[in-house]
mmCIF file of all heavy atoms in Angstrom:
data_model
loop_
_atom_site.group_PDB
_atom_site.id
_atom_site.type_symbol
_atom_site.label_atom_id
_atom_site.label_comp_id
_atom_site.label_asym_id
_atom_site.label_seq_id
_atom_site.Cartn_x
_atom_site.Cartn_y
_atom_site.Cartn_z
ATOM 1 N N MET I 11 -93.430 -3.757 -0.417
ATOM 2 C CA MET I 11 -92.373 -2.795 0.101
ATOM 3 C C MET I 11 -91.539 -2.485 -1.138
ATOM 4 O O MET I 11 -91.135 -3.245 -2.013
ATOM 5 C CB MET I 11 -91.588 -3.455 1.167
ATOM 6 C CG MET I 11 -90.610 -2.516 1.828
ATOM 7 S SD MET I 11 -89.863 -3.232 3.224
ATOM 8 C CE MET I 11 -88.967 -1.800 3.825
ATOM 9 N N CYS I 12 -91.082 -1.116 -1.171
ATOM 10 C CA CYS I 12 -90.340 -0.751 -2.330
ATOM 11 C C CYS I 12 -89.092 0.038 -1.724
ATOM 12 O O CYS I 12 -89.032 0.437 -0.591
ATOM 13 C CB CYS I 12 -91.013 0.294 -3.220
ATOM 14 S SG CYS I 12 -92.440 -0.455 -4.023
ATOM 15 N N CYS I 13 -88.089 0.141 -2.666
ATOM 16 C CA CYS I 13 -86.814 0.826 -2.198
ATOM 17 C C CYS I 13 -87.191 2.276 -1.861
ATOM 18 O O CYS I 13 -87.836 2.933 -2.512
ATOM 19 C CB CYS I 13 -85.872 0.732 -3.375
ATOM 20 S SG CYS I 13 -84.380 1.633 -3.284
ATOM 21 N N ARG I 14 -86.659 2.651 -0.864
ATOM 22 C CA ARG I 14 -86.819 4.073 -0.386
ATOM 23 C C ARG I 14 -86.278 5.084 -1.235
ATOM 24 O O ARG I 14 -86.665 6.082 -1.237
ATOM 25 C CB ARG I 14 -86.212 4.189 1.049
ATOM 26 C CG ARG I 14 -86.977 3.391 2.194
ATOM 27 C CD ARG I 14 -86.403 3.757 3.510
ATOM 28 N NE ARG I 14 -84.970 3.238 3.546
ATOM 29 C CZ ARG I 14 -84.219 3.396 4.586
ATOM 30 N NH1 ARG I 14 -84.621 4.234 5.600
ATOM 31 N NH2 ARG I 14 -83.070 2.886 4.572
ATOM 32 N N LEU I 15 -85.206 4.646 -2.023
ATOM 33 C CA LEU I 15 -84.577 5.621 -2.825
ATOM 34 C C LEU I 15 -85.115 5.686 -4.300
ATOM 35 O O LEU I 15 -85.301 6.701 -4.837
ATOM 36 C CB LEU I 15 -83.055 5.126 -2.993
ATOM 37 C CG LEU I 15 -82.108 6.388 -2.968
ATOM 38 C CD1 LEU I 15 -82.129 7.088 -1.607
ATOM 39 C CD2 LEU I 15 -80.601 5.722 -3.060
ATOM 40 N N CYS I 16 -85.246 4.517 -4.948
ATOM 41 C CA CYS I 16 -85.654 4.500 -6.338
ATOM 42 C C CYS I 16 -87.085 3.953 -6.481
ATOM 43 O O CYS I 16 -87.690 4.120 -7.556
ATOM 44 C CB CYS I 16 -84.802 3.713 -7.199
ATOM 45 S SG CYS I 16 -84.655 2.026 -6.843
ATOM 46 N N GLY I 17 -87.689 3.408 -5.448
ATOM 47 C CA GLY I 17 -88.991 2.920 -5.599
ATOM 48 C C GLY I 17 -89.259 1.644 -6.200
ATOM 49 O O GLY I 17 -90.252 1.194 -6.484
ATOM 50 N N ARG I 18 -88.088 1.017 -6.487
ATOM 51 C CA ARG I 18 -88.200 -0.369 -7.039
ATOM 52 C C ARG I 18 -88.679 -1.370 -6.138
ATOM 53 O O ARG I 18 -88.224 -1.374 -4.931
ATOM 54 C CB ARG I 18 -86.838 -0.645 -7.695
ATOM 55 C CG ARG I 18 -86.767 -1.886 -8.617
ATOM 56 C CD ARG I 18 -85.300 -2.220 -8.937
ATOM 57 N NE ARG I 18 -84.636 -0.975 -9.672
ATOM 58 C CZ ARG I 18 -83.415 -0.854 -9.896
ATOM 59 N NH1 ARG I 18 -82.637 -1.935 -9.624
ATOM 60 N NH2 ARG I 18 -82.903 0.152 -10.444
ATOM 61 N N PRO I 19 -89.468 -2.390 -6.535
ATOM 62 C CA PRO I 19 -89.926 -3.331 -5.552
ATOM 63 C C PRO I 19 -88.773 -4.103 -4.963
ATOM 64 O O PRO I 19 -87.898 -4.523 -5.703
ATOM 65 C CB PRO I 19 -90.836 -4.304 -6.499
ATOM 66 C CG PRO I 19 -91.230 -3.295 -7.599
ATOM 67 C CD PRO I 19 -90.204 -2.413 -7.929
ATOM 68 N N LEU I 20 -88.886 -4.530 -3.685
ATOM 69 C CA LEU I 20 -87.697 -5.179 -3.145
ATOM 70 C C LEU I 20 -88.181 -6.626 -3.054
ATOM 71 O O LEU I 20 -89.287 -6.978 -2.579
ATOM 72 C CB LEU I 20 -87.432 -4.603 -1.745
ATOM 73 C CG LEU I 20 -87.152 -3.136 -1.662
ATOM 74 C CD1 LEU I 20 -86.940 -2.733 -0.247
ATOM 75 C CD2 LEU I 20 -85.793 -2.982 -2.446
ATOM 76 N N THR I 21 -87.219 -7.450 -3.369
ATOM 77 C CA THR I 21 -87.465 -8.926 -3.350
ATOM 78 C C THR I 21 -86.444 -9.623 -2.380
ATOM 79 O O THR I 21 -86.937 -10.686 -1.837
ATOM 80 C CB THR I 21 -87.455 -9.546 -4.777
ATOM 81 O OG1 THR I 21 -86.125 -9.223 -5.223
ATOM 82 C CG2 THR I 21 -88.470 -8.988 -5.650
ATOM 83 N N GLY I 22 -85.395 -9.193 -2.241
ATOM 84 C CA GLY I 22 -84.385 -9.958 -1.493
ATOM 85 C C GLY I 22 -84.582 -9.652 0.044
ATOM 86 O O GLY I 22 -85.203 -8.654 0.505
ATOM 87 N N ALA I 23 -84.292 -10.595 0.874
ATOM 88 C CA ALA I 23 -84.466 -10.374 2.347
ATOM 89 C C ALA I 23 -83.642 -9.268 2.794
ATOM 90 O O ALA I 23 -84.140 -8.471 3.735
ATOM 91 C CB ALA I 23 -84.032 -11.662 3.119
ATOM 92 N N ASP I 24 -82.497 -9.161 2.427
ATOM 93 C CA ASP I 24 -81.723 -8.001 2.843
ATOM 94 C C ASP I 24 -82.204 -6.702 2.438
ATOM 95 O O ASP I 24 -82.145 -5.685 3.185
ATOM 96 C CB ASP I 24 -80.106 -8.152 2.253
ATOM 97 C CG ASP I 24 -79.316 -9.216 2.958
ATOM 98 O OD1 ASP I 24 -79.809 -9.654 4.048
ATOM 99 O OD2 ASP I 24 -78.351 -9.559 2.455
ATOM 100 N N SER I 25 -82.719 -6.654 1.218
ATOM 101 C CA SER I 25 -83.361 -5.351 0.796
ATOM 102 C C SER I 25 -84.516 -5.008 1.562
ATOM 103 O O SER I 25 -84.825 -3.855 1.916
ATOM 104 C CB SER I 25 -83.737 -5.678 -0.725
ATOM 105 O OG SER I 25 -82.638 -5.836 -1.575
ATOM 106 N N ARG I 26 -85.332 -6.010 1.933
ATOM 107 C CA ARG I 26 -86.552 -5.629 2.778
ATOM 108 C C ARG I 26 -86.093 -5.215 4.211
ATOM 109 O O ARG I 26 -86.726 -4.367 4.733
ATOM 110 C CB ARG I 26 -87.361 -6.949 2.913
ATOM 111 C CG ARG I 26 -88.086 -7.299 1.603
ATOM 112 C CD ARG I 26 -88.901 -8.560 1.796
ATOM 113 N NE ARG I 26 -89.425 -9.073 0.516
ATOM 114 C CZ ARG I 26 -89.949 -10.295 0.356
ATOM 115 N NH1 ARG I 26 -90.142 -11.076 1.293
ATOM 116 N NH2 ARG I 26 -90.451 -10.523 -0.888
ATOM 117 N N ARG I 27 -85.010 -5.811 4.664
ATOM 118 C CA ARG I 27 -84.643 -5.413 6.014
ATOM 119 C C ARG I 27 -84.045 -3.984 6.043
ATOM 120 O O ARG I 27 -84.306 -3.238 6.898
ATOM 121 C CB ARG I 27 -83.591 -6.323 6.510
ATOM 122 C CG ARG I 27 -83.157 -6.088 8.055
ATOM 123 C CD ARG I 27 -82.044 -7.110 8.349
ATOM 124 N NE ARG I 27 -80.774 -6.829 7.675
ATOM 125 C CZ ARG I 27 -80.042 -7.699 7.127
ATOM 126 N NH1 ARG I 27 -80.519 -9.049 6.963
ATOM 127 N NH2 ARG I 27 -78.983 -7.328 6.375
ATOM 128 N N THR I 28 -83.325 -3.632 4.980
ATOM 129 C CA THR I 28 -82.791 -2.271 4.919
ATOM 130 C C THR I 28 -83.667 -1.261 4.251
ATOM 131 O O THR I 28 -83.547 -0.062 4.498
ATOM 132 C CB THR I 28 -81.438 -2.243 4.171
ATOM 133 O OG1 THR I 28 -81.748 -2.676 2.803
ATOM 134 C CG2 THR I 28 -80.405 -3.176 4.768
ATOM 135 N N GLY I 29 -84.680 -1.659 3.623
ATOM 136 C CA GLY I 29 -85.513 -0.756 2.805
ATOM 137 C C GLY I 29 -84.992 -0.224 1.577
ATOM 138 O O GLY I 29 -85.418 0.741 1.063
ATOM 139 N N LEU I 30 -83.773 -0.898 1.152
ATOM 140 C CA LEU I 30 -83.223 -0.317 -0.046
ATOM 141 C C LEU I 30 -82.727 -1.469 -0.974
ATOM 142 O O LEU I 30 -82.380 -2.624 -0.437
ATOM 143 C CB LEU I 30 -81.866 0.457 0.337
ATOM 144 C CG LEU I 30 -82.050 1.721 1.127
ATOM 145 C CD1 LEU I 30 -80.617 2.047 1.850
ATOM 146 C CD2 LEU I 30 -82.433 2.800 0.234
ATOM 147 N N GLY I 31 -82.761 -1.203 -2.207
ATOM 148 C CA GLY I 31 -82.277 -2.198 -3.300
ATOM 149 C C GLY I 31 -80.769 -2.337 -3.200
ATOM 150 O O GLY I 31 -80.134 -1.454 -2.538
ATOM 151 N N PRO I 32 -80.177 -3.388 -3.542
ATOM 152 C CA PRO I 32 -78.736 -3.651 -3.418
ATOM 153 C C PRO I 32 -77.992 -2.454 -3.975
ATOM 154 O O PRO I 32 -76.976 -2.050 -3.359
ATOM 155 C CB PRO I 32 -78.592 -4.840 -4.275
ATOM 156 C CG PRO I 32 -79.886 -5.620 -4.364
ATOM 157 C CD PRO I 32 -80.880 -4.527 -4.226
ATOM 158 N N THR I 33 -78.342 -1.888 -5.190
ATOM 159 C CA THR I 33 -77.593 -0.807 -5.698
ATOM 160 C C THR I 33 -77.627 0.429 -4.846
ATOM 161 O O THR I 33 -76.552 1.126 -4.489
ATOM 162 C CB THR I 33 -78.054 -0.468 -7.109
ATOM 163 O OG1 THR I 33 -78.028 -1.547 -7.987
ATOM 164 C CG2 THR I 33 -77.323 0.687 -7.759
ATOM 165 N N CYS I 34 -78.855 0.778 -4.461
ATOM 166 C CA CYS I 34 -78.926 2.009 -3.641
ATOM 167 C C CYS I 34 -78.335 1.828 -2.375
ATOM 168 O O CYS I 34 -77.849 2.744 -1.636
ATOM 169 C CB CYS I 34 -80.525 2.265 -3.462
ATOM 170 S SG CYS I 34 -81.207 2.740 -4.991
ATOM 171 N N ASP I 35 -78.459 0.597 -1.741
ATOM 172 C CA ASP I 35 -77.831 0.289 -0.405
ATOM 173 C C ASP I 35 -76.311 0.538 -0.486
ATOM 174 O O ASP I 35 -75.574 1.080 0.302
ATOM 175 C CB ASP I 35 -78.042 -1.065 0.156
ATOM 176 C CG ASP I 35 -77.498 -1.387 1.535
ATOM 177 O OD1 ASP I 35 -77.883 -0.700 2.382
ATOM 178 O OD2 ASP I 35 -76.651 -2.294 1.543
ATOM 179 N N ALA I 36 -75.824 0.094 -1.644
ATOM 180 C CA ALA I 36 -74.307 0.192 -1.910
ATOM 181 C C ALA I 36 -73.956 1.652 -2.062
ATOM 182 O O ALA I 36 -72.821 2.141 -1.644
ATOM 183 C CB ALA I 36 -73.993 -0.589 -3.090
ATOM 184 N N LYS I 37 -74.815 2.483 -2.692
ATOM 185 C CA LYS I 37 -74.558 3.889 -2.758
ATOM 186 C C LYS I 37 -74.532 4.628 -1.439
ATOM 187 O O LYS I 37 -73.738 5.485 -1.214
ATOM 188 C CB LYS I 37 -75.713 4.512 -3.631
ATOM 189 C CG LYS I 37 -75.623 4.191 -5.068
ATOM 190 C CD LYS I 37 -76.724 4.863 -5.899
ATOM 191 C CE LYS I 37 -76.715 4.406 -7.299
ATOM 192 N NZ LYS I 37 -77.972 4.980 -7.934
ATOM 193 N N LEU I 38 -75.308 4.293 -0.523
ATOM 194 C CA LEU I 38 -75.476 4.831 0.733
ATOM 195 C C LEU I 38 -74.388 4.215 1.699
ATOM 196 O O LEU I 38 -74.021 4.874 2.640
ATOM 197 C CB LEU I 38 -76.870 4.694 1.276
ATOM 198 C CG LEU I 38 -77.973 5.382 0.669
ATOM 199 C CD1 LEU I 38 -79.371 5.169 1.299
ATOM 200 C CD2 LEU I 38 -77.696 6.806 0.414
ATOM 201 N N HIS I 39 -74.130 3.066 1.480
ATOM 202 C CA HIS I 39 -73.084 2.361 2.342
ATOM 203 C C HIS I 39 -71.953 1.753 1.596
ATOM 204 O O HIS I 39 -72.053 0.408 1.397
ATOM 205 C CB HIS I 39 -73.841 1.390 3.263
ATOM 206 C CG HIS I 39 -74.961 1.885 3.960
ATOM 207 N ND1 HIS I 39 -76.295 1.712 3.531
ATOM 208 C CD2 HIS I 39 -75.086 2.504 5.114
ATOM 209 C CE1 HIS I 39 -77.134 2.256 4.368
ATOM 210 N NE2 HIS I 39 -76.346 2.812 5.551
ATOM 211 N N PRO I 40 -71.135 2.507 1.063
ATOM 212 C CA PRO I 40 -69.981 1.998 0.224
ATOM 213 C C PRO I 40 -69.128 0.957 1.141
ATOM 214 O O PRO I 40 -68.960 1.209 2.256
ATOM 215 C CB PRO I 40 -69.201 3.185 -0.053
ATOM 216 C CG PRO I 40 -70.033 4.325 0.047
ATOM 217 C CD PRO I 40 -71.108 3.980 1.091
ATOM 218 N N PRO I 41 -68.887 -0.165 0.398
ATOM 219 C CA PRO I 41 -68.175 -1.231 1.161
ATOM 220 C C PRO I 41 -66.776 -0.762 1.679
ATOM 221 O O PRO I 41 -66.300 -1.338 2.550
ATOM 222 C CB PRO I 41 -68.046 -2.296 0.230
ATOM 223 C CG PRO I 41 -68.293 -1.724 -1.199
ATOM 224 C CD PRO I 41 -69.135 -0.512 -0.934
ATOM 225 N N GLY I 42 -66.206 0.233 1.001
ATOM 226 C CA GLY I 42 -64.910 0.663 1.520
ATOM 227 C C GLY I 42 -64.142 1.388 0.243
ATOM 228 O O GLY I 42 -64.581 1.389 -0.859
ATOM 229 N N PRO I 43 -62.924 1.829 0.574
ATOM 230 C CA PRO I 43 -62.124 2.637 -0.335
ATOM 231 C C PRO I 43 -61.640 1.813 -1.588
ATOM 232 O O PRO I 43 -61.238 2.288 -2.594
ATOM 233 C CB PRO I 43 -61.001 3.241 0.428
ATOM 234 C CG PRO I 43 -60.853 2.242 1.542
ATOM 235 C CD PRO I 43 -62.334 1.739 1.962
ATOM 236 N N ASP I 44 -61.786 0.543 -1.369
ATOM 237 C CA ASP I 44 -61.269 -0.335 -2.527
ATOM 238 C C ASP I 44 -62.364 -0.653 -3.555
ATOM 239 O O ASP I 44 -62.149 -1.479 -4.520
ATOM 240 C CB ASP I 44 -60.782 -1.704 -2.019
ATOM 241 C CG ASP I 44 -61.913 -2.378 -1.267
ATOM 242 O OD1 ASP I 44 -62.865 -1.819 -0.815
ATOM 243 O OD2 ASP I 44 -61.903 -3.615 -1.313
ATOM 244 N N ILE I 45 -63.429 0.137 -3.398
ATOM 245 C CA ILE I 45 -64.631 -0.099 -4.398
ATOM 246 C C ILE I 45 -64.295 0.237 -5.744
ATOM 247 O O ILE I 45 -64.659 -0.392 -6.712
ATOM 248 C CB ILE I 45 -65.845 0.658 -4.017
ATOM 249 C CG1 ILE I 45 -67.105 0.327 -4.897
ATOM 250 C CG2 ILE I 45 -65.547 2.230 -4.090
ATOM 251 C CD1 ILE I 45 -68.322 1.048 -4.362
ATOM 252 N N ARG I 46 -63.283 1.217 -6.004
ATOM 253 C CA ARG I 46 -62.860 1.569 -7.342
ATOM 254 C C ARG I 46 -62.183 0.444 -8.009
ATOM 255 O O ARG I 46 -62.308 0.215 -9.193
ATOM 256 C CB ARG I 46 -61.993 2.785 -7.313
ATOM 257 C CG ARG I 46 -62.662 3.985 -6.717
ATOM 258 C CD ARG I 46 -61.785 5.196 -6.870
ATOM 259 N NE ARG I 46 -62.511 6.474 -6.453
ATOM 260 C CZ ARG I 46 -62.058 7.661 -6.582
ATOM 261 N NH1 ARG I 46 -60.836 7.844 -7.037
ATOM 262 N NH2 ARG I 46 -62.795 8.782 -6.159
ATOM 263 N N SER I 47 -61.416 -0.347 -7.281
ATOM 264 C CA SER I 47 -60.719 -1.438 -7.906
ATOM 265 C C SER I 47 -61.603 -2.566 -8.142
ATOM 266 O O SER I 47 -61.209 -3.524 -8.822
ATOM 267 C CB SER I 47 -59.429 -1.811 -6.987
ATOM 268 O OG SER I 47 -59.885 -2.262 -5.822
ATOM 269 N N ARG I 48 -62.794 -2.534 -7.550
ATOM 270 C CA ARG I 48 -63.688 -3.716 -7.721
ATOM 271 C C ARG I 48 -64.906 -3.396 -8.389
ATOM 272 O O ARG I 48 -65.909 -4.099 -8.458
ATOM 273 C CB ARG I 48 -64.084 -4.287 -6.315
ATOM 274 C CG ARG I 48 -62.796 -4.603 -5.609
ATOM 275 C CD ARG I 48 -63.201 -5.470 -4.236
ATOM 276 N NE ARG I 48 -64.625 -5.350 -3.854
ATOM 277 C CZ ARG I 48 -65.038 -5.729 -2.764
ATOM 278 N NH1 ARG I 48 -64.441 -6.470 -1.934
ATOM 279 N NH2 ARG I 48 -66.502 -5.744 -2.642
ATOM 280 N N ARG I 49 -65.041 -2.162 -9.015
ATOM 281 C CA ARG I 49 -66.177 -1.567 -9.572
ATOM 282 C C ARG I 49 -66.777 -2.633 -10.674
ATOM 283 O O ARG I 49 -67.942 -2.570 -10.908
ATOM 284 C CB ARG I 49 -65.929 -0.256 -10.137
ATOM 285 C CG ARG I 49 -65.042 -0.164 -11.405
ATOM 286 C CD ARG I 49 -64.947 1.204 -11.707
ATOM 287 N NE ARG I 49 -66.192 1.959 -11.794
ATOM 288 C CZ ARG I 49 -66.234 3.360 -11.917
ATOM 289 N NH1 ARG I 49 -65.114 4.017 -11.815
ATOM 290 N NH2 ARG I 49 -67.312 3.916 -11.993
ATOM 291 N N HIS I 50 -65.949 -3.412 -11.223
ATOM 292 C CA HIS I 50 -66.346 -4.311 -12.263
ATOM 293 C C HIS I 50 -67.157 -5.538 -11.663
ATOM 294 O O HIS I 50 -67.742 -6.196 -12.412
ATOM 295 C CB HIS I 50 -65.308 -4.724 -13.108
ATOM 296 C CG HIS I 50 -64.567 -3.636 -14.012
ATOM 297 N ND1 HIS I 50 -65.302 -2.932 -15.051
ATOM 298 C CD2 HIS I 50 -63.489 -3.000 -13.941
ATOM 299 C CE1 HIS I 50 -64.556 -2.055 -15.390
ATOM 300 N NE2 HIS I 50 -63.383 -2.081 -14.745
ATOM 301 N N GLU I 51 -66.965 -5.628 -10.419
ATOM 302 C CA GLU I 51 -67.677 -6.967 -9.777
ATOM 303 C C GLU I 51 -68.774 -6.595 -8.849
ATOM 304 O O GLU I 51 -69.504 -7.419 -8.497
ATOM 305 C CB GLU I 51 -66.539 -7.531 -8.870
ATOM 306 C CG GLU I 51 -65.303 -7.920 -9.696
ATOM 307 C CD GLU I 51 -64.325 -8.590 -8.682
ATOM 308 O OE1 GLU I 51 -64.590 -8.738 -7.582
ATOM 309 O OE2 GLU I 51 -63.191 -8.739 -9.189
ATOM 310 N N VAL I 52 -68.974 -5.320 -8.600
ATOM 311 C CA VAL I 52 -69.970 -4.856 -7.527
ATOM 312 C C VAL I 52 -71.441 -4.781 -8.094
ATOM 313 O O VAL I 52 -72.252 -4.656 -7.258
ATOM 314 C CB VAL I 52 -69.575 -3.510 -6.874
ATOM 315 C CG1 VAL I 52 -68.226 -3.774 -6.143
ATOM 316 C CG2 VAL I 52 -69.531 -2.474 -7.809
ATOM 317 N N VAL I 53 -71.569 -4.595 -9.303
ATOM 318 C CA VAL I 53 -72.956 -4.566 -9.855
ATOM 319 C C VAL I 53 -73.637 -5.867 -9.803
ATOM 320 O O VAL I 53 -73.493 -6.704 -10.626
ATOM 321 C CB VAL I 53 -72.815 -4.026 -11.287
ATOM 322 C CG1 VAL I 53 -74.336 -3.820 -11.902
ATOM 323 C CG2 VAL I 53 -72.159 -2.751 -11.411
ATOM 324 N N GLN I 54 -74.383 -6.022 -8.812
ATOM 325 C CA GLN I 54 -75.117 -7.347 -8.566
ATOM 326 C C GLN I 54 -76.624 -7.045 -8.353
ATOM 327 O O GLN I 54 -77.345 -7.897 -7.889
ATOM 328 C CB GLN I 54 -74.595 -8.031 -7.297
ATOM 329 C CG GLN I 54 -73.249 -8.331 -7.475
ATOM 330 C CD GLN I 54 -72.940 -9.414 -8.403
ATOM 331 O OE1 GLN I 54 -73.800 -10.264 -8.561
ATOM 332 N NE2 GLN I 54 -71.674 -9.597 -8.827
ATOM 333 N N ASP I 55 -77.152 -6.015 -8.901
ATOM 334 C CA ASP I 55 -78.563 -5.604 -8.732
ATOM 335 C C ASP I 55 -79.543 -6.286 -9.586
ATOM 336 O O ASP I 55 -80.634 -6.307 -9.312
ATOM 337 C CB ASP I 55 -78.662 -4.034 -8.797
ATOM 338 C CG ASP I 55 -80.028 -3.641 -8.186
ATOM 339 O OD1 ASP I 55 -80.390 -4.162 -7.229
ATOM 340 O OD2 ASP I 55 -80.592 -2.666 -8.727
ATOM 341 N N ALA I 56 -78.934 -6.879 -10.727
ATOM 342 C CA ALA I 56 -79.851 -7.461 -11.627
ATOM 343 C C ALA I 56 -80.330 -8.865 -11.196
ATOM 344 O O ALA I 56 -79.660 -9.855 -11.431
ATOM 345 C CB ALA I 56 -79.226 -7.506 -12.959
ATOM 346 N N LEU I 57 -81.331 -8.966 -10.433
ATOM 347 C CA LEU I 57 -81.892 -10.162 -10.127
ATOM 348 C C LEU I 57 -82.928 -10.739 -11.127
ATOM 349 O O LEU I 57 -83.663 -9.969 -11.778
ATOM 350 C CB LEU I 57 -82.614 -10.005 -8.624
ATOM 351 C CG LEU I 57 -81.707 -9.489 -7.546
ATOM 352 C CD1 LEU I 57 -82.614 -9.175 -6.327
ATOM 353 C CD2 LEU I 57 -80.641 -10.475 -7.387
ATOM 354 N N PRO I 58 -83.229 -11.990 -11.084
ATOM 355 C CA PRO I 58 -84.100 -12.640 -12.000
ATOM 356 C C PRO I 58 -85.595 -12.045 -11.820
ATOM 357 O O PRO I 58 -85.971 -12.004 -10.562
ATOM 358 C CB PRO I 58 -84.093 -14.097 -11.748
ATOM 359 C CG PRO I 58 -82.776 -14.356 -11.089
ATOM 360 C CD PRO I 58 -82.433 -12.987 -10.334
ATOM 361 N N GLY I 59 -86.205 -11.567 -12.889
ATOM 362 C CA GLY I 59 -87.543 -11.055 -12.590
ATOM 363 C C GLY I 59 -87.600 -9.666 -12.265
ATOM 364 O O GLY I 59 -88.699 -9.038 -12.224
ATOM 365 N N ILE I 60 -86.435 -9.093 -12.265
ATOM 366 C CA ILE I 60 -86.497 -7.556 -11.968
ATOM 367 C C ILE I 60 -86.013 -6.823 -13.229
ATOM 368 O O ILE I 60 -84.951 -7.114 -13.850
ATOM 369 C CB ILE I 60 -85.457 -7.345 -10.886
ATOM 370 C CG1 ILE I 60 -85.797 -8.084 -9.610
ATOM 371 C CG2 ILE I 60 -85.308 -5.772 -10.608
ATOM 372 C CD1 ILE I 60 -86.538 -7.304 -8.505
ATOM 373 N N ASP I 61 -86.784 -5.826 -13.565
ATOM 374 C CA ASP I 61 -86.492 -4.862 -14.774
ATOM 375 C C ASP I 61 -85.454 -3.942 -14.251
ATOM 376 O O ASP I 61 -85.830 -3.026 -13.607
ATOM 377 C CB ASP I 61 -87.772 -4.451 -15.354
ATOM 378 C CG ASP I 61 -87.482 -3.616 -16.567
ATOM 379 O OD1 ASP I 61 -86.191 -3.488 -17.026
ATOM 380 O OD2 ASP I 61 -88.275 -3.025 -17.249
ATOM 381 N N ASP I 62 -84.306 -4.113 -14.584
ATOM 382 C CA ASP I 62 -83.221 -3.161 -14.221
ATOM 383 C C ASP I 62 -82.979 -2.003 -15.101
ATOM 384 O O ASP I 62 -82.161 -1.126 -14.883
ATOM 385 C CB ASP I 62 -81.950 -3.993 -14.063
ATOM 386 C CG ASP I 62 -80.863 -3.231 -13.099
ATOM 387 O OD1 ASP I 62 -81.369 -2.716 -12.021
ATOM 388 O OD2 ASP I 62 -79.822 -3.196 -13.494
ATOM 389 N N THR I 63 -83.835 -1.828 -15.953
ATOM 390 C CA THR I 63 -83.699 -0.701 -17.051
ATOM 391 C C THR I 63 -84.192 0.517 -16.301
ATOM 392 O O THR I 63 -85.147 0.520 -15.535
ATOM 393 C CB THR I 63 -84.458 -0.895 -18.303
ATOM 394 O OG1 THR I 63 -85.681 -1.269 -18.017
ATOM 395 C CG2 THR I 63 -83.847 -2.068 -19.077
ATOM 396 N N PRO I 64 -83.558 1.674 -16.691
ATOM 397 C CA PRO I 64 -83.994 2.898 -15.965
ATOM 398 C C PRO I 64 -85.339 3.404 -16.382
ATOM 399 O O PRO I 64 -85.730 3.134 -17.432
ATOM 400 C CB PRO I 64 -82.877 3.911 -16.525
ATOM 401 C CG PRO I 64 -81.840 3.152 -17.121
ATOM 402 C CD PRO I 64 -82.384 1.845 -17.485
HETATM 403 ZN ZN1 ZN O 12 -83.245 1.677 -5.100
#
C-alpha cells in the first residue's frame, strides 16, 4: 500500500489506516491553528528505512 498523495510506501499502522503518509496526512488534516508555533516540531515523517528525499 502506498500513500494516496505522494505514492510513498506506507509502513506505519496509522498511515495504512488513513492511506496517507504522516506528512501528507498532516497537510490534509492540520492539527490546529497553533501549527505555526510548533512547525519546528511537527516534521516527523522521516522513519527509519524510508528515503525522505524528494
Ligand atoms: Zn504522501
Side-chain angles (χ1 to χ4, degrees):
M11 187 171 183
C12 295
C13 176
R14 290 183 294 170
L15 216 61
C16 68
R18 192 182 303 170
L20 300 176
T21 55
D24 286 344
S25 298
R26 290 178 185 170
R27 189 181 66 230
T28 60
L30 293 166
T33 301
C34 296
D35 184 60
K37 287 178 184 175
L38 296 181
H39 306 99
D44 63 333
I45 186 173
R46 292 188 180 185
S47 62
R48 306 186 347 181
R49 70 186 307 166
H50 295 294
E51 304 177 5
V52 296
V53 181
Q54 299 287 339
D55 196 32
L57 300 174
I60 302 261
D61 184 0
D62 198 42
T63 55

